[in-house]
Amino acid sequence: MRHGRFLKAGADIGFDVTGIDVDTTTTDYITRKYGFRTVTGLLGPKTFPQGRFDVTVLSHVIEHLQEPSELLAVIHKTLSQTAVCDVHAQL
């Protein structure tokens, strides 16, 4: 999450942001510094309700997964009908 800067940019233009990261240090820092909602851990089928998000960004996550299709299926369920999923990966 680059220590919340991307979330801050989204919030600054009007998005209601939530961050998720496996690192407690990162999520605690973002919550303390910006006051944003964060989740520490892995995204699972019950982490967020269906249709919750209009935008989802994966930044350098997908290339670390053995089964990226499983994560993408979970993300798909959290997206609204008009949502965008932006994936950044280093190949």
Side-chain angles (χ1 to χ4, degrees), residues 7-52:
L7 294 171
K8 171 114 174 50
D12 286 349
I13 60 170
F15 284 99
D16 178 19
V17 300
T18 301
I20 184 168
D21 199 293
V22 296
D23 180 32
T24 303
T25 303
T26 300
T27 55
D28 288 350
Y29 173 82
I30 291 167
T31 299
R32 276 193 321 274
K33 181 166 182 163
Y34 300 109
F36 299 146
R37 283 185 307 272
T38 59
V39 174
T40 304
L42 299 173
L43 180 63
K46 296 184 180 185
T47 307
F48 298 108
Q50 288 191 4
R52 167 71 172 90

